[in-house]
Amino acid sequence: MTESVSDIVAELRWRKQIHQTTDDANIAAWLLEKPRVVYAGFDPTADSLHVGHLMALTILRRFQKAGHRPIALVGGATGMIGDPSGKTDERKQLDQDVLFHNVECIKKQISRFLNFGNGPHDAILVNNYDWLSTKTFIEFLRDVGKRFPVNVMLSKDSVKSRLERDNGLSYTEFSYMLLQSYDFVHLYRTFGCEMQIGGSDQWGNITTGIDLARRMDSVQLYGMTAPLLVKSDGTKMGKSESGALWLDPERVSPYNFYQYWMNAEDADLDKLLRMMTDLCEEEIEAILAEHNAAPEKRFGQRRVAEELTKIVHGELELAAAQKATDIFFGAEIHDLKDAQVLSIFADVPSAEFSRAELQEGIPLADALVRAGVAKTKSEVRRALEQGGMYVNNVRVSDRDLKLTPASLASESAIVLRMGKKKYAVVLIK
């Protein structure tokens, strides 16, 4: 056993991140023999990865920590085709400029999860467009296509399920399996990559790549899949009312990302802590024990939210998300960015005023009435007299109060609250 590698299979098994391997009996010993090169692929169908990609990113990171070398492949070429796995309809094909933009965005996101550099265990980032775009159609059919038995391809679940539908499967999508399989061969020849990982829906693509390498280079490669990230009720995790839970902070703010995990079901906590965080088994057991002693305090959800926000967005954004959460529960609001205020209070009424109006002083009652939180100025006065009026979560009692530049909670926003739950945002344009 090489000292530079740890037992990654044992780690992944207790974390319940292994769904299938191509050699259950020997995979652990094989990985302990020496550092290996492993890869996972990410198709750039959007300009951001989403929570569904976290499983593969997390496993690649675990392999690197265990002493192996990860490759993150961004599918600039395969993204033009679209993987039919798990899809009922053909993906919409993307414009090449859009696709290349997506590739660059995803490259930046992946760098948050893996350590890149020039060392023997540093991660490698590749784009399969670099090698697939140079092959002619004739070359590809001659070198790769002739080694694919059509009956084997037809037996794959990703193909069978689509052929059974009325809309069927286009030749373009049918060829996706050949392209991804050749990726594995290319990475083996170029970097000595011997293992591919992916979600359980990628099993057919992975085993076909292993078979192609055996036919082309007479080499034994390996594969491993992880379970898909689903809730206890079987639905996909990472879907919200507003859509996918993206990893790009411009698409989903760190605050909203944090809040998604704060709302996780108790039944999903063990899975999330094991699979998605870097916490050890003893820490996880202690968290679950504390949570189960008082579930209403949501201690487990808070730890999941903290750990995942830190991994995806970093310590500073985690602190901002925690501060934003405190604000929504009454903490004073100051020294924020506009984006943070608008993210926290995205669904509350707002009113716009000019910078000149702010300099002159905006009567509090005018702001609340224009925002629609109060119907009349009399209603605002009654709330003031009853001690239920707040500017940036600080109680105010002055009936003649005017909002001025000193009232700003961020560059151009002021947060008003009437009573316990009636919020409004004043935006200065």
Side-chain angles (χ1 to χ4, degrees):
M1 171 179 162
T2 304
E3 291 183 2
S4 60
V5 292
S6 59
D7 194 345
I8 181 63
V9 172
E11 168 88 353
L12 293 176
R13 287 203 189 283
W14 80 257
R15 289 187 180 277
K16 301 179 181 178
Q17 285 186 286
I18 297 179
H19 180 72
Q20 291 168 297
T21 77
T22 52
D23 189 353
D24 281 342
N26 302 303
I27 196 85
W30 177 75
L31 285 166
L32 281 168
E33 285 177 4
K34 63 178 183 179
R36 306 286 182 178
V37 181
V38 302
Y39 99 93
F42 306 89
D43 274 349
T45 52
D47 61 3
S48 173
L49 298 175
H50 54 71
V51 164
H53 296 108
L54 270 182
M55 184 74 79
L57 287 168
T58 300
I59 292 175
L60 280 183
R61 191 174 75 250
R62 298 203 202 289
F63 266 96
Q64 186 170 36
K65 289 182 177 180
H68 302 283
R69 188 172 202 182
I71 296 177
L73 181 151
V74 182
T78 44
M80 295 179 176
I81 304 300
D83 185 1
S85 301
K87 300 296 177 184
T88 57
D89 296 297
E90 186 164 0
R91 293 178 189 266
K92 181 181 178 181
Q93 292 192 331
L94 300 176
D95 175 86
Q96 192 173 61
D97 290 339
V98 172
L99 196 71
F100 288 170
H101 168 74
N102 293 352
V103 167
E104 292 307 311
C105 292
I106 288 173
K107 283 180 178 179
K108 292 177 183 177
Q109 288 184 335
I110 290 174
S111 65
R112 289 197 59 85
F113 294 85
L114 302 172
N115 294 321
F116 290 91
N118 298 314
H121 304 304
D122 286 330
I124 303 168
L125 190 63
V126 296
N127 179 355
N128 63 11
Y129 184 85
D130 294 340
W131 58 85
L132 289 174
S133 63
T134 62
K135 276 196 170 293
T136 67
F137 185 64
I138 298 298
E139 285 176 332
F140 192 78
L141 289 178
R142 181 195 64 201
D143 299 339
V144 180
K146 73 174 186 177
R147 292 179 168 85
F148 269 86
V150 172
N151 61 317
V152 173
M153 296 176 68
L154 291 173
S155 70
K156 301 298 181 182
D157 288 340
S158 60
V159 173
K160 280 197 303 183
S161 62
R162 287 289 298 278
L163 290 177
E164 292 169 357
R165 295 179 175 271
D166 292 338
N167 52 356
L169 184 74
S170 71
Y171 178 77
T172 300
E173 285 188 295
F174 190 59
S175 66
Y176 182 94
M177 191 181 298
L178 281 72
L179 298 175
Q180 183 170 320
S181 297
Y182 184 70
D183 285 343
F184 204 170
V185 173
H186 176 84
L187 294 179
Y188 167 74
R189 291 175 175 178
T190 308
F191 301 105
C193 179
E194 298 175 278
M195 187 172 190
Q196 182 182 357
I197 65 170
S200 57
D201 58 345
Q202 291 298 307
W203 180 252
N205 290 330
I206 292 173
T207 54
T208 306
I210 290 171
D211 186 54
L212 179 64
R214 179 181 59 79
R215 293 172 185 271
M216 294 186 75
D217 292 354
S218 300
V219 64
Q220 177 61 59
L221 301 182
Y222 296 83
M224 176 185 293
T225 65
L228 299 180
L229 192 59
V230 296
K231 300 178 184 178
S232 54
D233 62 7
T235 59
K236 278 189 176 181
M237 198 168 284
K239 296 289 185 182
S240 64
E241 291 182 6
S242 57
L245 194 66
W246 301 100
L247 306 189
D248 183 346
E250 296 299 319
R251 279 177 169 258
V252 173
S253 70
Y255 167 73
N256 286 327
F257 184 87
Y258 181 91
Q259 287 302 315
Y260 177 86
W261 304 111
M262 283 294 293
N263 291 312
E265 297 292 336
D266 289 353
D268 294 323
L269 294 178
D270 180 79
K271 175 194 300 182
L272 289 169
L273 289 165
R274 285 174 182 269
M275 290 182 172
M276 309 312 298
T277 77
D278 292 332
L279 299 173
C280 70
E281 196 164 11
E282 292 75 16
E283 288 177 295
I284 291 170
E285 289 174 354
I287 290 168
L288 292 173
E290 184 168 347
H291 175 83
N292 292 333
E296 70 281 1
K297 295 183 179 179
R298 305 188 75 75
F299 178 71
Q301 282 87 350
R302 187 162 68 252
R303 287 307 310 274
V304 168
E306 289 170 356
E307 293 299 319
L308 293 185
T309 305
K310 180 170 61 177
I311 289 170
V312 173
H313 294 295
E315 295 274 7
L316 290 178
E317 293 294 354
L318 167 60
Q322 290 171 319
K323 181 178 180 180
T325 301
D326 292 340
I327 284 169
F328 207 73
F329 286 96
E332 289 187 18
I333 308 171
H334 53 81
D335 299 329
L336 294 184
K337 300 291 184 184
D338 280 348
Q340 292 173 310
V341 173
L342 295 177
S343 174
I344 298 168
F345 299 101
D347 299 323
V348 307
S350 62
E352 291 187 4
F353 291 85
S354 69
R355 186 71 59 173
E357 288 175 294
L358 182 68
Q359 291 288 351
E360 186 178 330
I362 303 167
L364 178 61
D366 289 356
L368 287 163
V369 170
R370 189 184 295 189
V373 172
K375 293 181 179 179
T376 64
K377 295 180 182 181
S378 297
E379 187 179 349
V380 176
R381 283 196 294 272
R382 284 195 298 272
L384 279 164
E385 291 167 359
Q386 294 167 6
M389 188 59 64
Y390 302 81
V391 175
N392 299 325
N393 275 345
V394 177
R395 181 177 286 165
V396 295
S397 56
D398 184 357
R399 293 178 60 177
D400 300 318
L401 179 70
K402 291 185 177 182
L403 304 176
T404 68
S407 307
L408 289 167
S410 62
E411 300 97 328
S412 57
I414 303 168
V415 180
L416 308 180
R417 175 159 62 95
M418 194 167 73
K420 291 184 177 181
K421 296 181 179 179
K422 287 186 176 181
Y423 278 95
V425 176
V426 173
L427 299 173
I428 307 303
K429 298 296 184 181

